Structure formats: structure tokens, C-alpha cells
Amino acid sequence: MSRRDRLRSKVEADMAAEDDSSSARPVVLFYTDNGIGLGHLTRQLAIALRSRGAFQPLFLTMSAGFTLPRSAGIPTEYFPSYGRLDITKPEWEPMIMERLLEVIEATDTRAVVVDHVSPPRIFAALRERAPRTRFIWSRRGLWQPDKNRAAVSLSDEFDLVVEPGDVASVIDQGATTAQRSGTVSTAPVVMVDPADYVPADEARDALGIPREGRAVLVNVGDRSSDEVRRMIDRATQAIRRHGGRDTHVFAPMHPLHGGEVGEVPGIHMAPVYPVARFFNAFDAVVSSSGYNSFHEVVASGLPAVFVPHRGARIDDQYRRAEFASLCGRSQWAANIFSREFDQAVRRMLRPYEPEIARRTTELLGSMNGAEEFAEVLAGLVAERPGPYPTGARTSTPTDHTPALDRVVVALDLDGDELGQLVATWSPDDIARTVVVTRDADPGPIYGLGVVFETILDEDEWRRVGDYGYGEYVAMRLAGIERRYGTTQTIMNPLETKVKTQ
């Protein structure tokens, strides 16, 4: 059995109810933005994996990484962002509101967790429409000074604001520092507990790194695949300049870049997520300073150099990276192409740095925020809600729909077949079509700009629903047709069966 299959089996075992009835557990919906990486998704996945059977996690995400919670055994659906639909956020908000209501009604969702630095302005209305459901804003702190201040007022639209802790919070100058009323803080959230790291030799074997010699992880990101290659190459030069030419360098292939980055000569590379499981393979780390990467590395006790992601619009990655140096935990550099970065790598590789990093990590305290967050959710959903008021669960069509009047229902096609199908379409076909898929790899169509939604497979549905799978599929298709103003629905596209409304 593969490690991924073992992880999936463990998650499914943890989620099993005493009477082996998934639908008996209250459903908690995790709703995430797409962001610039996997931060929102990873943070919520860390919490969902700690459900311990107290609730059934369900994901609705706009991230292209939606396959990651699915691979961990958690039912997941994808919904396109307003950018993917080429409409404005205000035009899109009624669509996502209807979609969320659809999920809440279909699964009797008890709580919705929203991980987003600037949530859509729909949650006050959603609370009225779904009064049995609790809405929680997972609001990461450390915003850049004077950025996103208007979003702080959105806390009034939620029943509760939970702030995942940040070890750099002592130098936080962002807008959330002025809004603490009704906010519950946890310890920092990490996906992988250090006790669960893969043993060193096994980790190196899995990543293709020789067991002998020093190894350094380079885990950096950028929107541009070409820029990621340049950053990996630059980091490798500095590492081998100061650590020796025989130092092994490993760079994980990012799930959102797929094969776009390609192989970098002289570097060990492999698709791996989450990379923190393999930290025992390494002697040091060069990492971006986004919330998740930063705290995973800090928790590991490994010597590190942190480099801010240049594309971060709200997250104060510069301040977080600098804090690592201020507290003595790690090194940092504002730019990976600077002389300061070269010197930071030199300091990271000094022989006494591992002991300094380990002791400082102990002083920084627990990173069990995911467990604390999951306990908050378990307490909320344990309360038995009252009945819905008459009419409170009725969805209504949106006032605005994008110019997508054709739905192609391709539930039984795999990723390659989807790619072959779309390759036969004209640009006009692509521009007017929504594809409905089930568990296919979306890679072949995502890069072509095809709009798509996913639905749960039958096994996923059994965990969250209490009526037949066919009824669920019919409900989802009716919602999609209504949402986009469909005039033509093509079922089983390889058989070209067409239903015209």
C-alpha cells in the first residue's frame, strides 16, 4: 500500500462514527479562496484532519489544488472564482452565495469555516438564510500595514472569528491587531506534527536523495514557473558555494505548477505534498515565509533561510521572515538574488546552527493550533440546532450569470479524455461551456481556461448526504443549469447525447 493510501485509510478510520454511519456526524464545510498558492487550502486541511470523528469535513474550494484534500480522503468540490469566470467580484458573489446554500441544504451543514483574508460580502445574508448553521471566519493575522483595513469590518458577518496563531504576531502591525473583540486565538497551525515525520533514511529513499552527505530543501514559490526555476538555481548556487559541491539539493514539484517547472539540472525533484512529512531527510531549509511554510519549518527545528514571496498582496511575509532572525530562530533575506541571501545561506550552514534552531524552536512553544481549532468546531457542532424557519432554505436564481450557456456533463471521463474532448472544441465552444466532472484530473483542461465544476463521487456523497446519490447528482446539475442560465446540456459527451431546453 502506498503512503498516500495509508494516509487516506488513517483519515477514513479517524472519521468513522461508532455506528459506522458517516451521515450521523455533523457536517463542517471548509470554504477556501484560491489565493496565490496553497495556503488557505493547507491550513483548512490541517484542521479537517484533526476532526477525530467529532464532525465530517467537506471542502468547497476555488483552488486548483482541490485534488489534495480529496487524496487525503475528504469529500471535496471545486467552484470557479470570479477570475476564472471573467466577471467582477460583485457579479460573482450571488453565484457563490447560491452555491454555498446549495451545499448547506444538501448536507444539512452545521458549520461553515471561511479561510479568506477578504471574504465575499454574503455571510450576513447567509446567516439569515441558514439560521441553523454557524459561520466561522478563519482569519490569519499579520496583514501588511494599511492593507485590507475595510475587510476587518466583515467580522460582524460571522458568528465567530478564529485566528490561527503566528509566532511573529508580536511584531504584527496589520489591521487585525485593532479588532480583537469576539476573536478566539489558537496556537500556530501546522499540517504535520514532528512526531509524524518519516524516518530519515526512509525519507531520503522516497525523495531519491542519497543517504550519505548533507541535504538541503529548497521550497520557494512564484506565480511564474520560469521564475521558480531561477530561484531554485540561485539557491542551489549559494548552498553549494558554502556547503560544498557534493551537498544534495531537493526541490519539491509544486502541485499548482504541475510539470511546468521541469527538471532543474543537478537538483533532486519530485512531486510531494506536504513536504513537511519528509523533513528528517534534510539538514537545512530555504523556504518562502508564507504562513504555512514558515510554521512548518519553524516547528521542524531545522536551520533555515526565509525569503518572502514577492507576490504576497496582504500577508506580511517580510515581517514574518525578519522575525525569524530577530528571535534567533533562522536567517532571512528580502530577495533571493541579493548578496544578503548568499550570506544568510552561509550562516545557516554553520556547524552550530542546528542546535540554535532546535533550542529556539522549543522556546517558541506549541504548534498545535489545528487541534485547538478542531476542538472549537467540535464544540460548536455538538450543540443541537433548532428547525429551519419555513422558506429559509429556498435557493433563488442569481441576478447575473456569465455568458456560459452550454453545460457538458462528463462524469465518467478521465483527465486525458477530457483533454481530448476539449481539443476538438473551437475557442467559441470553450468560451460558452461549463464542464461538469467528477474525479478526473483537471490539469488537461485547467490551463486552457475551461470553466468547470466538480461533483462528489458516490463514496464521498455517502459520507455527507442522507439520501440517494442519483438525487444528489440531479440536484447538482439543476443548480448548475440555473446558475449559468443554460440553454443546452450535453450528457455523456463522447456519445453526443444532447438535451436542449
Side-chain angles (χ1 to χ4, degrees):
M1 181 184 291
S2 71
R3 184 168 299 279
R4 192 181 84 172
D5 289 340
R6 289 200 299 271
L7 174 62
R8 186 185 182 106
S9 296
K10 180 178 183 299
V11 172
E12 291 173 348
D14 286 346
M15 292 178 178
E18 292 182 2
D19 63 355
D20 199 33
S21 173
S22 303
S23 60
R25 292 195 305 277
V27 171
V28 173
L29 176 65
F30 292 85
Y31 163 74
T32 78
D33 185 20
N34 52 334
I36 62 171
L38 293 172
H40 300 287
L41 199 66
T42 296
R43 198 158 40 247
Q44 293 217 349
L45 183 54
I47 298 162
L49 290 173
R50 270 74 171 191
S51 63
R52 310 296 189 218
F55 55 86
Q56 170 60 57
L58 168 65
F59 272 68
L60 176 65
T61 180
M62 295 175 286
S63 171
F66 73 88
T67 57
L68 298 174
R70 260 189 161 174
S71 69
I74 297 177
T76 302
E77 292 184 317
Y78 167 85
F79 186 78
S81 65
Y82 60 89
R84 291 289 295 183
L85 293 173
D86 195 26
I87 59 178
T88 67
K89 188 174 182 180
E91 290 171 335
W92 172 82
E93 285 178 342
M95 298 182 67
I96 187 59
M97 180 173 173
E98 181 189 323
R99 181 69 188 96
L100 284 165
L101 274 172
E102 190 176 74
V103 178
I104 291 168
E105 294 168 10
T107 65
D108 198 14
T109 298
R110 197 73 60 81
V112 177
V113 185
V114 180
D115 196 305
H116 202 311
V117 291
S118 186
R121 295 179 178 273
I122 60 173
F123 289 98
L126 270 173
R127 287 172 71 188
E128 294 181 4
R129 299 284 295 280
R132 297 205 316 170
T133 304
R134 297 293 170 260
F135 292 88
I136 301 95
W137 186 6
S138 175
R139 191 187 67 190
R140 186 208 67 232
L142 212 72
W143 296 0
Q144 295 175 28
D146 300 320
K147 292 287 184 70
N148 207 39
R149 289 193 174 276
V152 173
S153 64
L154 292 173
S155 60
D156 294 335
E157 296 199 9
F158 293 86
D159 295 291
L160 182 66
V161 177
V162 180
E163 183 175 285
D166 196 313
V167 298
S169 62
V170 293
I171 60 170
D172 190 347
Q173 295 184 10
T176 61
T177 59
Q179 197 283 315
R180 311 307 304 163
S181 177
T183 299
V184 174
S185 297
T186 72
V189 170
V190 297
M191 172 83 81
V192 185
D193 188 285
D196 296 327
Y197 292 167
V198 177
D201 286 347
E202 184 181 344
R204 287 205 175 190
D205 291 347
L207 300 179
I209 303 172
R211 291 187 175 186
E212 302 300 323
R214 178 184 281 178
V216 179
L217 170 66
V218 176
N219 190 23
V220 293
D222 193 271
R223 291 184 184 275
S224 163
S225 298
D226 289 340
E227 188 66 11
V228 171
R229 287 177 59 89
R230 289 185 64 230
M231 294 171 73
I232 293 172
D233 185 62
R234 164 61 175 151
T236 301
Q237 291 177 26
I239 290 164
R240 289 182 172 152
R241 181 179 303 115
H242 298 292
R245 301 298 302 173
D246 58 347
T247 301
H248 309 299
V249 177
F250 178 86
M253 293 180 176
H254 197 284
L256 295 187
H257 285 284
E260 295 175 11
V261 174
E263 296 288 339
V264 179
I267 311 278
H268 300 277
M269 301 181 74
V272 55
Y273 175 90
V275 71
R277 291 194 298 122
F278 299 94
F279 275 165
N280 281 338
F282 303 104
D283 300 286
V285 182
V286 174
S287 173
S288 61
S289 53
Y291 180 95
N292 299 290
S293 298
F294 179 85
H295 287 96
E296 296 284 357
V297 172
V298 168
S300 74
L302 289 168
V305 175
F306 291 106
V307 182
H309 193 306
R310 66 176 186 172
R313 296 188 295 266
I314 296 173
D315 189 22
D316 199 344
Q317 295 199 16
Y318 286 85
R319 198 171 299 274
R320 190 179 290 116
E322 184 180 18
F323 178 79
S325 177
L326 291 173
C327 73
R329 169 59 182 84
S330 303
Q331 315 300 322
W332 87 291
N335 189 321
I336 200 168
F337 299 102
S338 66
R339 184 177 181 276
E340 286 75 17
F341 173 76
D342 187 83
Q343 292 304 306
V345 170
R346 179 185 62 79
R347 292 191 296 270
M348 174 185 71
L349 295 175
R350 293 178 299 194
Y352 46 83
E353 283 299 310
E355 181 64 14
I356 293 174
R358 185 188 64 78
R359 292 190 180 187
T360 308
T361 295
E362 292 175 355
L363 293 174
L364 289 173
S366 169
M367 303 280 177
N368 67 339
E371 287 85 352
E372 293 177 5
F373 204 132
E375 289 174 3
V376 170
L377 296 176
L380 286 174
V381 301
E383 303 171 3
R384 296 191 65 82
Y388 274 100
T390 302
R393 304 177 69 195
T394 302
S395 297
T396 57
T398 57
D399 295 329
H400 176 88
T401 56
L404 297 162
D405 63 357
R406 186 177 76 154
V407 171
V408 172
V409 184
L411 303 186
D412 297 324
L413 302 190
D414 62 25
D416 290 338
E417 289 170 330
L418 279 177
Q420 294 166 12
L421 175 68
V422 173
T424 68
W425 294 353
S426 69
D428 180 65
D429 287 333
I430 292 176
R432 60 185 285 258
T433 301
V434 179
V435 173
V436 185
T437 182
R438 184 159 34 205
D439 48 16
D441 175 5
I445 65 172
Y446 191 87
L448 298 174
V450 176
V451 172
F452 67 94
E453 289 193 28
T454 70
I455 72 170
L456 303 177
D457 64 31
E458 190 165 2
D459 179 63
E460 290 177 309
W461 173 246
R462 281 200 301 268
R463 301 182 203 178
V464 298
D466 60 0
Y467 52 88
Y469 184 65
E471 185 179 351
Y472 156 74
V473 173
M475 177 275 296
R476 287 286 287 114
L477 295 182
I480 290 168
E481 290 174 341
R482 180 178 65 251
R483 193 155 39 251
Y484 297 101
T486 300
T487 60
Q488 183 185 56
T489 299
I490 300 177
M491 305 293 295
N492 306 315
L494 293 186
E495 301 175 22
T496 63
K497 295 180 179 178
V498 179
K499 176 185 74 176
T500 302
Q501 294 184 334

